[in-house]
Amino acid sequence: MSEVRYEKATRIYPGTEVPAVNELDLDIADGEFLVLVGPSGCGKSTALRMLAGLEFIDHGSVYIGDRDVTLTPPQDRDIAMVFQNYALYPNMTVAANMGFALKQQGVPKEERAKQVKEAARILGLEEFLDRKPKNLSGGQRQRVAMGRAIVRHPQVFLMDEPLSNLDAKLRVQTRTELTDLQARLGVTTVYVTHDQVEAMTMGHRVAVLKDGVLQQVDKPRTLYSHPANLFVAGFIGSPAMNLVEVSRNGGPPSIGSLQVPVTPDVAHDLESTGGDLVVGVRPEHLTVGAEGLPGKVIVVEELGSEAYLHVQVDHQHEPIQLVVRAAGETEIDRDDTVHIAIDGPTHVFTPDGRRLGT
Amino acid sequence: MRDNTGAIVGGSRVKSTLLGLMTWAIALIIFFPVFWMVLNGFKEEADANTNPKLFFDPTTAQFDEVTSNPAGLLGFGEAFSNSFWAVGISTILVLVLAIPAAYSLSIKPVAKWRDVLFFFISTKFLPVVAAILPLWIIARDLELLNTRLILIILYTAMNLPLAVWMLRSFFAEVPKELVEASQIDGANLRGQITSVILPIVAPGLAATALLCVIFAWNEFFLAVQLNPVDGSTVPIWVTSNVSTRGNFLAKLSAASVLATLPVVLAGWAAQKRMIRGLAMGAIK
Amino acid sequence: MVTQVPFLFSLWYSLTDWTIVPPSPREFVGFDNYTSFFDNQFFREAVWTSILMTVFSVLLSVVFGTLLAILLDRKFFGQGFVRTLLITPFLIMPVVAGLIWNTQMFNSSFGVINWLLDAVGFERIEFVTRFPLASIVIVLVWQWTPFMMLISLAGLQGQDSSVLEAARVDGASSRAIFFEITLPALRPYLELGTLLGSIYLIQVFDHVDVITGGGPGSTNVPYFVYQRSIGGGWQFGQASAYSIVVVIASIIIANFGLRVLSNLLEGEAAA
């Protein structure tokens, strides 16, 4: 009923040569929570706005349900959008803000009030219905923006970094509420963020974009365990994956004196691939112990539940830094010498980003 | 710009073009009197004083005539020079006085800054005409009638409230942190103003100065009441071209063109700044 | 210290503007002057004329100015040039505007408007003699519409574009957006324009002098006072009395205006 489909959708801003969104192909299932994530300027907001009808689509098309909405104006697409700065109507009360769209549809007053009240109840906004936006806190405004969207029962929710203006604690709290809300309402949602933690924790699937091009779209777990290219590998996961450039001189790839274990299919690809490599290992797949690659601890990040050590090791006659996860409440200190071993999957890429193996 | 919030084309293309054409038409109609005035400046009197003619043999004779200085009458050069001085100096004075005032009302507001602001604006509510009597008497007693000085003083007083009002809102736009940073760096008042504030509010300054220039240059009543003989300004000079003998339309048009040219050119050049200035200065 | 200096200056200047000195020693006739003018029909007419002139000029120029601003707030060919054209009337010297309109537009023999009327088959109208007040108002509106247009334009361009986008997504038509979102947002600008415009338009003198010379029904209070004093009456006592009344009236109006101002400034403080 309300799937969303991008078909080779492209947006080139006038006067530029490189497309902001380049032939995006993306299928979003009905009821799915899809996150668009990527660094600044990757085109995620543009892609969202193309779906909303706020950006012109130069090539390709966009479908909502089985309707081609490429040329449909925003007001006719039956979508609801939450803006990054909330974009609340400043001269209207909360109730009027939330009821605005219904008013445009011609819904009679009592029915409107009923629906607004219901949405307010879900979001805990009942006591604010008569206030104006300027008398609300940031978190309250964010809820009003959400309320404005859910009261409409649209086919698709669009959200453009709705949490980025909240303080950290509120952000985490609202994150879970949002996910819960979407699961209950079951409305297809397209969500844009630059924060990969948000992406990983909220989305059914996550689409990673860079420079207008879709890098990979998968379940969060798959993105984590099988990044399709070097960029995704370095982008997903916090702290980021250790990426080490390895020049091969005939032997198997190694970091310093540490040999890198690879799966058979990677080993197979290695035979046909010459030249330098980039090897990736996540901090949580490195351990400190009695034996292994020696290194000096530069920084200790103690988080309580775990600790991250920034260790300087020698690799191919150059010092590099590796981030290693250790148990929390660690006794390890700056300037200590530790030994690092690999205890988990590794990833091998060519320098231009291609993943080896499967 | 920002009208098309949804960038969707449709039947609105036609509508858009029609609206554009309508806008052009309205603009041309509104501009027409000015255009006509310029046109008439180039006509012979005979051409000007008949049914409206669009085509004629242009001549600059009128311009020559109005800029010559017939004995006994107010001369072109004299009027312009008086105006330049009065307007120029008064505007500079206004800015020099308004800047510290605006600073004290915005950057480090005195407790009752709103009251002070009200006070300033309230001086503008009094019609000049009501005050002309005592002004005239005072001016006469101070022997300031028929001088440039009296106009300089009065134009400054006339424009000061507006300037303070506008500059205050521009100053208020300057991020406080910038000023505080400069204070920590050891800048005194003058340093703060010149190195930090003025560069940021420059467009607002330009807009304010332009408005002051417009009002001062075009000011007629005070000038004609207090300086009917010497120190007369351009507005007076223009009206002196209205004569009861013979046709004067073309001459008047030529004179009008010359009289309004400086301000119009300045306004055209600075209009973008003026809009930005009005936007920033009118409302916070 | 520095804050005191400009304050003192302003004090001095405002005193310069404020000082009203009825030359009592010379013509002390007690309060006769004051009582006489309330009976003075001409004064009452002048007040009425002032009200009409100001209200109509301000209202019409605000409405036209806003309409023009809406037209200008779009992308179209030659936008900057059109805006330049539209600003010009405000830059023209009032006396020049008055003279030009008087002689070239309104003139019954050679005026352009009448020529057009003639061409279309209507009768020629002697604007200035038959409609003196309207003639003045027309020129005033012509001159002040650009000013209001600039203020409205500033207001339109100051809108938060994401609010407009949200309205679109919420299904609002252009008309709905204008009335429910744009217009309320424009209110402070319109109020300011009205206030500033009124301040200047109440005091109109040049146009009256030049277009009608105070002809029937077109004498406003400033011109009236002028006529009674320097302009030929030389009735200093009487004129001073009128002046004082005008000052009092101005203060009353000013209070009203100040309330508007304080709302504006409150809005600024709260925002």
Side-chain angles (χ1 to χ4, degrees):
Chain A
M1 176 189 69
S2 29
E3 321 86 53
V4 172
R5 206 160 79 240
Y6 288 84
E7 254 180 36
K8 295 226 174 320
T10 307
R11 171 70 176 139
I12 308 179
Y13 284 115
T16 61
E17 288 199 353
V18 179
V21 172
N22 201 345
E23 299 206 348
L24 178 64
D25 276 316
L26 194 53
D27 282 355
I28 305 171
D30 178 22
E32 181 175 9
F33 192 125
L34 180 101
V35 179
L36 292 170
V37 73
S40 289
C42 68
K44 53 194 192 293
S45 282
T46 309
L48 189 75
R49 288 165 63 90
M50 286 159 77
L51 179 57
L54 297 172
E55 287 286 349
F56 187 60
I57 300 177
D58 292 295
H59 302 294
S61 31
V62 170
Y63 292 79
I64 297 181
D66 44 17
R67 279 196 307 152
D68 181 354
V69 296
T70 315
L71 293 175
T72 320
Q75 53 264 43
D76 298 329
R77 292 195 184 192
D78 196 15
I79 52 170
M81 185 155 167
V82 180
F83 289 80
Q84 185 175 359
N85 67 350
Y86 316 136
L88 301 180
Y89 307 122
N91 56 304
M92 302 185 197
T93 60
V94 167
N97 258 281
M98 288 171 58
F100 183 75
L102 296 177
K103 191 162 162 207
Q104 303 311 308
Q105 289 168 14
V107 175
K109 212 157 142 199
E110 302 90 42
E111 178 65 25
R112 250 181 14 232
K114 210 170 69 137
Q115 301 213 30
V116 167
K117 236 175 155 186
E118 175 62 23
R121 191 188 58 83
I122 297 181
L123 289 166
L125 287 171
E126 280 149 310
E127 56 180 289
F128 302 118
L129 281 174
D130 286 324
R131 286 209 211 164
K132 295 229 175 124
K134 64 176 187 250
N135 297 326
L136 297 173
S137 73
Q140 289 158 355
R141 284 186 210 170
Q142 202 269 342
R143 285 166 188 275
V144 176
M146 293 285 313
R148 195 171 60 177
I150 71 177
V151 88
R152 297 185 42 197
H153 306 292
Q155 297 203 353
V156 189
F157 279 146
L158 280 64
M159 306 200 185
D160 191 356
E161 308 206 39
L163 305 183
S164 52
N165 289 343
L166 300 174
D167 64 73
K169 197 139 179 266
L170 196 53
R171 200 180 310 164
V172 174
Q173 186 188 335
T174 315
R175 220 166 63 197
T176 44
E177 287 176 7
L178 241 178
T179 329
D180 184 47
L181 186 61
Q182 194 273 344
R184 276 193 290 146
L185 295 177
V187 180
T188 314
T189 303
V190 184
Y191 184 100
V192 164
T193 179
H194 63 273
D195 181 349
Q196 56 101 29
V197 172
E198 258 176 42
M200 297 288 279
T201 54
M202 297 175 83
H204 294 150
R205 280 193 309 158
V206 176
V208 181
L209 285 117
K210 176 176 179 251
D211 294 333
V213 179
L214 179 63
Q215 304 293 307
Q216 185 177 1
V217 54
D218 250 319
K219 294 218 257 285
R221 182 180 288 178
T222 318
L223 284 176
Y224 176 84
S225 61
H226 283 82
N229 60 30
L230 185 59
F231 174 75
V232 178
F235 186 79
I236 298 289
S238 180
M241 184 190 288
N242 291 298
L243 294 168
V244 182
E245 287 175 10
V246 175
S247 338
R248 273 195 298 178
N249 14 19
S254 56
I255 301 178
S257 56
L258 197 60
Q259 189 170 1
V260 176
V262 292
T263 57
D265 43 316
V266 174
H268 179 75
D269 273 348
L270 273 176
E271 288 163 24
S272 44
T273 318
D276 293 343
L277 301 170
V278 179
V279 174
V281 189
R282 295 200 182 272
E284 47 270 27
H285 299 144
L286 292 171
T287 56
V288 281
E291 292 175 346
L293 178 64
K296 191 166 81 143
V297 177
I298 306 289
V299 175
V300 176
E301 286 177 336
E302 174 65 67
L303 291 174
S305 55
E306 57 211 346
Y308 289 99
L309 312 170
H310 295 244
V311 182
Q312 183 173 303
V313 299
D314 264 334
H315 169 72
Q316 298 183 335
H317 310 294
E318 297 282 326
I320 60 167
Q321 271 196 23
L322 295 175
V323 181
V324 183
R325 186 171 76 173
E329 299 180 84
T330 184
E331 311 249 310
I332 304 177
D333 253 327
R334 252 183 72 111
D335 291 334
D336 283 355
T337 303
V338 293
H339 295 267
I340 303 176
I342 299 180
D343 184 23
T346 61
H347 311 262
V348 182
F349 304 92
T350 61
D352 58 355
R354 187 172 63 87
R355 176 189 181 80
L356 264 54
T358 53
Chain B
M1 259 185 253
R2 191 200 19 77
D3 130 272
N4 309 313
T5 57
I8 304 293
V9 296
S12 53
R13 258 279 170 78
V14 174
K15 191 171 106 175
S16 181
T17 327
L18 276 179
L19 277 181
L21 282 175
M22 188 169 82
T23 315
W24 267 94
I26 296 182
L28 288 173
I29 293 179
I30 291 188
F31 187 74
F32 179 73
V34 179
F35 167 71
W36 194 246
M37 168 183 88
V38 174
L39 214 61
N40 273 339
F42 288 100
K43 291 183 182 171
E44 297 277 354
E45 284 293 358
D47 288 330
N49 287 288
T50 61
N51 286 324
K53 262 198 212 169
L54 204 47
F55 300 105
F56 53 92
D57 290 320
T59 160
T60 56
Q62 310 304 341
F63 286 94
D64 291 333
E65 218 181 300
V66 295
T67 56
S68 68
N69 297 347
L73 291 178
L74 178 63
F76 164 73
E78 196 189 324
F80 265 77
S81 128
N82 285 334
S83 274
F84 270 123
W85 277 105
V87 171
I89 298 193
S90 73
T91 305
I92 294 178
L93 265 183
V94 164
L95 290 180
V96 164
L97 290 175
I99 289 180
Y103 181 91
S104 71
L105 286 175
S106 60
I107 307 289
K108 261 202 303 221
V110 257
K112 300 208 148 186
W113 64 275
R114 279 200 222 133
D115 295 333
V116 177
L117 202 56
F118 287 168
F119 176 70
F120 267 103
I121 289 296
S122 64
T123 61
K124 263 243 154 283
F125 286 142
L126 173 70
V128 165
V129 180
I132 190 62
L133 263 180
L135 273 178
W136 192 82
I137 296 177
I138 293 178
R140 185 191 62 183
D141 293 342
L142 288 177
E143 296 195 357
L144 283 177
L145 282 181
N146 286 311
T147 63
R148 283 184 191 157
L149 188 55
I150 185 70
L151 287 184
I152 292 180
I153 297 177
L154 289 176
Y155 287 171
T156 309
M158 174 178 88
N159 279 327
L160 195 57
L162 181 70
V164 169
W165 168 261
M166 289 187 72
L167 285 181
R168 185 207 68 88
S169 5
F170 293 132
F171 279 30
E173 290 269 314
V174 175
K176 239 175 81 179
E177 296 79 41
L178 275 180
V179 182
E180 287 171 349
S182 76
Q183 283 171 341
I184 293 182
D185 280 348
N188 62 358
L189 181 65
R190 203 173 75 94
Q192 286 171 46
I193 291 185
T194 50
S195 348
V196 174
I197 300 180
L198 284 188
I200 296 184
V201 303
L205 256 185
T208 310
L210 182 62
L211 269 183
C212 293
V213 164
I214 293 178
F215 287 133
W217 181 269
N218 292 347
E219 203 282 330
F220 174 69
F221 182 69
L222 285 175
V224 82
Q225 300 306 330
L226 300 173
N227 283 7
V229 179
D230 287 327
S232 302
T233 54
V234 172
I236 303 175
W237 172 75
V238 170
T239 53
S240 72
N241 279 295
V242 175
S243 84
T244 45
R245 315 181 309 272
N247 291 327
F248 57 85
L249 194 54
K251 275 201 286 295
L252 179 64
S253 304
S256 305
V257 170
L258 289 176
T260 56
L261 204 55
V263 169
V264 167
L265 287 179
W268 283 356
Q271 59 161 308
K272 271 237 176 74
R273 288 243 185 96
M274 219 160 51
I275 295 185
R276 268 228 300 173
L278 269 177
M280 290 166 65
I283 314 286
K284 159 108 176 314
Chain C
M1 160 63 201
V2 183
T3 66
Q4 305 308 323
V5 169
F7 191 79
L8 287 175
F9 266 110
S10 75
L11 207 58
W12 185 65
Y13 285 133
S14 60
L15 280 179
T16 313
D17 276 348
W18 278 91
T19 317
I20 301 288
V21 179
S24 358
R26 256 167 276 177
E27 309 167 28
F28 194 77
V29 286
F31 288 109
D32 277 3
N33 282 330
Y34 288 90
T35 51
S36 74
F37 71 66
F38 274 126
D39 301 331
N40 189 332
Q41 181 203 359
F42 293 118
F43 182 66
R44 287 202 304 268
E45 272 177 21
V47 170
W48 180 237
T49 306
S50 264
I51 294 177
L52 282 180
M53 196 186 287
T54 310
V55 167
F56 273 107
S57 317
V58 171
L59 226 55
L60 286 175
S61 50
V62 166
V63 167
F64 288 146
T66 307
L67 288 177
L68 280 178
I70 295 172
L71 278 179
L72 275 190
D73 186 34
R74 312 164 48 249
K75 236 201 280 259
F76 63 92
F77 178 72
Q79 180 185 36
F81 183 68
V82 168
R83 203 178 52 211
T84 312
L85 287 183
L86 285 173
I87 290 189
T88 316
F90 182 65
L91 303 169
I92 305 281
M93 220 174 263
V95 279
V96 165
L99 284 173
I100 296 298
W101 275 83
N102 201 6
T103 55
Q104 297 176 5
M105 304 297 291
F106 287 143
N107 190 307
S108 53
S109 322
F110 315 128
V112 173
I113 298 186
N114 276 315
W115 179 80
L116 281 174
L117 286 176
D118 215 30
V120 186
F122 286 114
E123 228 182 79
R124 289 178 173 243
I125 307 179
E126 297 235 345
F127 283 97
V128 174
T129 25
R130 286 187 44 193
F131 305 107
L133 182 57
S135 305
I136 297 182
V137 169
I138 290 180
V139 182
L140 286 176
V141 169
W142 182 72
Q143 285 221 274
W144 280 87
T145 298
F147 180 75
M148 302 300 179
M149 179 188 83
L150 285 184
I151 292 189
S152 292
L153 197 56
L156 286 176
Q157 294 183 5
Q159 283 182 92
D160 186 357
S161 59
S162 50
V163 171
L164 292 173
E165 289 177 344
R168 278 265 179 245
V169 169
D170 271 353
S173 62
S174 297
R175 217 174 130 254
I177 290 186
F178 178 73
F179 280 106
E180 302 206 37
I181 299 179
T182 304
L183 220 43
L186 268 185
R187 217 184 74 171
Y189 291 85
L190 293 178
E191 279 176 0
L192 180 90
T194 309
L195 185 64
L196 277 183
S198 308
I199 292 178
Y200 282 101
L201 281 164
I202 283 187
Q203 307 193 25
V204 163
F205 172 83
D206 303 0
H207 297 83
V208 179
D209 194 30
V210 154
I211 297 181
T212 64
S218 72
T219 301
N220 63 356
V221 174
Y223 199 73
F224 178 79
V225 172
Y226 162 75
Q227 277 178 327
R228 291 284 180 289
S229 59
I230 303 190
W234 299 105
Q235 305 256 16
F236 284 125
Q238 224 181 40
S240 304
Y242 290 133
S243 305
I244 297 204
V245 168
V246 168
V247 170
I248 297 178
S250 305
I251 295 182
I252 298 177
I253 301 181
N255 260 314
F256 176 69
L258 291 185
R259 235 179 298 142
V260 172
L261 271 185
S262 95
N263 283 340
L264 285 178
L265 291 178
E266 297 277 329
E268 180 178 322

